Amino acid sequence: MPSTKDEIARVTKQLVITMPFKAITVTTIMAATHMRRQTFYDHFRDKYEVLGYIYRTEIDARVWYCGDYRRWPDTLHRMVQYFTANRLFYQKALAIDDQNAPSDYIQHHLHDMIDHILRDLATHEKIVMTPSYQGFVTQMLVANAFTTIQLLLADSRSDASTVEENLRVFVSDALTGLLDRYRVTDNQAEVSG
């Protein structure tokens, strides 16, 4: 049996799929769960926080090792599978353009994940980048990943495997370029560039 918090999230997800988000209220959510309205506030501040919780719990269950740079292709595969399986929900959720919108949660998560992967890569592969450049690379990869998610969701005829392969090649090329340019060898005292 799911926890109260998980039940509120499950019902909210179903409501987002079946009705306009602006029409969904805490009262609507709690009536569908058959729980008291106040119970909602024991777990969430507002309906936007529920959407963030849905994303965080579901994506974390699928990509728990996302900080290991050696596993990024599998992480990418699992994320594409997740967004494909939840396409209708995220089509509607990403159309929400309010403060605390789901796109903010997703981009923040992607930023943390990609930043962690780059730090792990730098540690294991002896890459030396300025913090400013690492931040720039992180932002570029986040923007590309988020745009790819939007493209995948925009058209239900999108072939997820083709989208995944294109993104995998793009990220692989970016990481290969970082390795070629910034890897410190035993004979180097300083990194050029």
Side-chain angles (χ1 to χ4, degrees):
M1 185 168 165
S3 70
T4 299
K5 189 171 191 171
D6 289 339
E7 180 62 10
I8 293 169
R10 185 191 68 76
V11 167
T12 302
K13 187 173 182 180
Q14 288 305 309
L15 290 171
V16 168
I17 292 170
T18 59
M19 62 191 296
F21 189 70
K22 291 207 182 286
I24 299 171
T25 64
V26 171
T27 302
T28 309
I29 294 167
M30 298 313 288
T33 65
H34 306 289
M35 294 181 217
R36 292 179 327 105
R37 185 175 186 275
Q38 184 55 41
T39 302
F40 179 92
Y41 296 106
D42 293 338
H43 301 281
F44 300 103
R45 284 188 320 265
D46 56 32
K47 63 184 183 178
Y48 299 96
E49 188 175 13
V50 181
L51 298 180
Y53 177 79
I54 292 166
Y55 173 75
R56 283 188 312 274
T57 56
E58 290 183 355
I59 203 72
D60 285 350
R62 285 157 184 82
V63 265
W64 56 271
Y65 48 73
C66 63
D68 183 342
Y69 90 92
R70 290 166 290 208
R71 295 184 185 234
W72 73 261
D74 193 43
T75 298
L76 174 66
H77 174 71
R78 288 172 180 256
M79 288 188 79
V80 168
Q81 282 184 321
Y82 171 73
F83 282 105
T84 301
N86 292 281
R87 179 179 268 136
L88 186 56
F89 172 72
Y90 281 104
Q91 283 174 333
K92 295 187 180 238
L94 290 178
I96 300 166
D97 191 24
D98 297 334
Q99 184 177 0
N100 302 322
S103 60
D104 296 340
Y105 289 113
I106 294 169
Q107 289 180 66
H108 181 75
H109 174 259
L110 288 171
H111 183 277
D112 288 350
M113 182 178 66
I114 290 169
D115 185 62
H116 195 278
I117 288 170
L118 288 177
R119 289 178 193 280
D120 190 54
L121 176 73
T123 300
H124 286 89
E125 297 294 336
K126 299 179 183 172
I127 295 175
V128 178
M129 291 183 282
T130 65
S132 173
Y133 188 67
Q134 182 171 332
F136 174 78
V137 171
T138 299
Q139 284 302 113
M140 292 303 290
L141 291 172
V142 168
N144 184 269
F146 187 70
T147 299
T148 302
I149 290 166
Q150 290 175 308
L151 291 172
L152 180 66
L153 296 173
D155 184 0
S156 60
R157 298 167 303 188
S158 293
D159 178 26
S161 61
T162 300
V163 171
E164 178 182 339
E165 178 61 14
N166 289 340
L167 184 57
R168 188 195 63 74
V169 168
F170 175 83
V171 173
S172 180
D173 288 351
L175 295 179
T176 299
L178 286 173
L179 290 172
D180 288 348
R181 182 171 181 90
Y182 291 102
R183 183 180 285 155
V184 177
T185 63
D186 293 333
N187 298 330
Q188 283 180 302
E190 289 186 21
V191 176
S192 63

